[in-house]
């Protein structure tokens, strides 16, 4: 009988130890689960650019300025050639969102064509931030002039 009590006690101790492990494991698992559930996925950053179609809406401000200044130099124009003036708030500033001027849509078509030609014929995959080597760009045909230079 004494042996049975000792064996029963060992079984209880093992069971008690297993319960402790189970409680600790369950507690840690719950903490991990609560941590995962409470973590929010990162919110997508809202784009500050409105009505941008060809260039990435994730383009940084300094990159956008470089791209637009590049267009100005290569075409011999200033911003208001493609962008309408803001008639409401400040008539001296451009309304970059407006599609009022036909030149803006023509520029979009030309830019799409240029990206297509670089990708198809030169294997140059320029991303929509305009980063990457370009074989053909605005200056290839325009050479700093509004109208493309042909046969020169």
């Amino acid at each position: 009988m004494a042996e049975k009590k000792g064996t029963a006690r060992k079984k209880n101790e093992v069971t008690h130890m297993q319960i402790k492990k189970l409680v600790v494991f369950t507690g840690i698992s719950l903490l991990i689960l609560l941590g995962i559930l409470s973590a929010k996925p990162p919110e997508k950053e809202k784009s500050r650019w409105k009505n941008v179609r060809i260039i990435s809406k994730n383009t940084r401000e300094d990159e956008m300025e470089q791209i637009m200044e590049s267009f100005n130099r290569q075409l011999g124009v200033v911003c208001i050639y493609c962008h309408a003036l803001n008639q409401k708030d400040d008539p001296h500033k451009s309304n970059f969102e407006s599609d009022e001027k036909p030149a803006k849509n023509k520029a979009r078509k030309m830019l799409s064509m240029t990206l297509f030609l670089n990708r198809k014929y030169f294997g140059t995959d320029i991303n929509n931030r305009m980063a990457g080597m370009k074989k053909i760009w605005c200056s290839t045909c325009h050479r700093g002039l509004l109208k493309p230079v042909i046969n020169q």
Side-chain angles (χ1 to χ4, degrees):
M1 202 64 144
E3 277 183 40
K4 285 185 179 180
K5 285 183 181 178
T7 308
R9 187 176 284 165
K10 283 184 181 180
K11 284 184 180 178
N12 285 340
E13 285 177 15
V14 171
T15 305
H16 183 67
M17 188 62 96
Q18 288 175 337
I19 290 172
K20 279 185 175 180
K21 287 181 181 179
L22 182 63
V23 168
V24 170
F25 177 75
T26 304
I28 291 172
S29 298
L30 283 172
L31 286 173
I32 291 171
L33 183 62
L34 287 172
I36 291 170
L37 292 175
S38 67
K40 294 180 182 175
E43 291 183 21
K44 288 187 177 180
E45 191 175 309
K46 289 185 179 177
S47 173
R48 64 180 307 231
W49 311 117
K50 309 238 184 326
N51 198 18
V52 174
R53 297 182 190 166
I54 309 297
I55 300 170
S56 171
K57 290 186 178 199
N58 297 323
T59 302
R60 294 188 326 258
E61 186 171 357
D62 62 319
E63 290 175 321
M64 187 66 82
E65 285 180 18
Q66 288 176 345
I67 292 167
M68 293 298 136
E69 287 173 8
S70 167
F71 294 156
N72 288 350
R73 281 190 314 276
Q74 293 180 67
L75 301 173
V77 297
V78 294
C79 303
I80 60 171
Y81 183 77
C82 293
H83 298 286
L85 290 174
N86 190 345
Q87 300 300 324
K88 295 178 187 172
D89 303 327
D90 185 349
H92 301 291
K93 289 188 176 181
S94 294
N95 179 356
F96 298 115
E97 297 170 25
S98 171
D99 284 336
E100 181 182 328
K101 290 199 169 186
K104 185 174 181 182
N105 282 319
K106 186 163 196 160
R108 284 179 175 139
K109 289 177 184 173
M110 297 297 285
L111 186 55
S112 292
M113 175 193 68
T114 304
L115 293 173
F116 170 78
L117 291 172
N118 276 291
R119 195 173 295 119
K120 182 171 181 175
Y121 294 105
F122 300 102
T124 305
D125 193 17
I126 302 168
N127 66 29
N128 287 351
R129 284 187 165 174
M130 306 301 137
M133 279 301 293
K134 304 161 203 66
K135 299 288 185 178
I136 297 175
W137 204 231
C138 307
S139 58
T140 305
C141 299
H142 284 269
R143 301 179 190 170
L145 303 171
L146 182 59
K147 300 228 181 241
V149 178
I150 300 172
N151 296 330
Q152 284 190 0

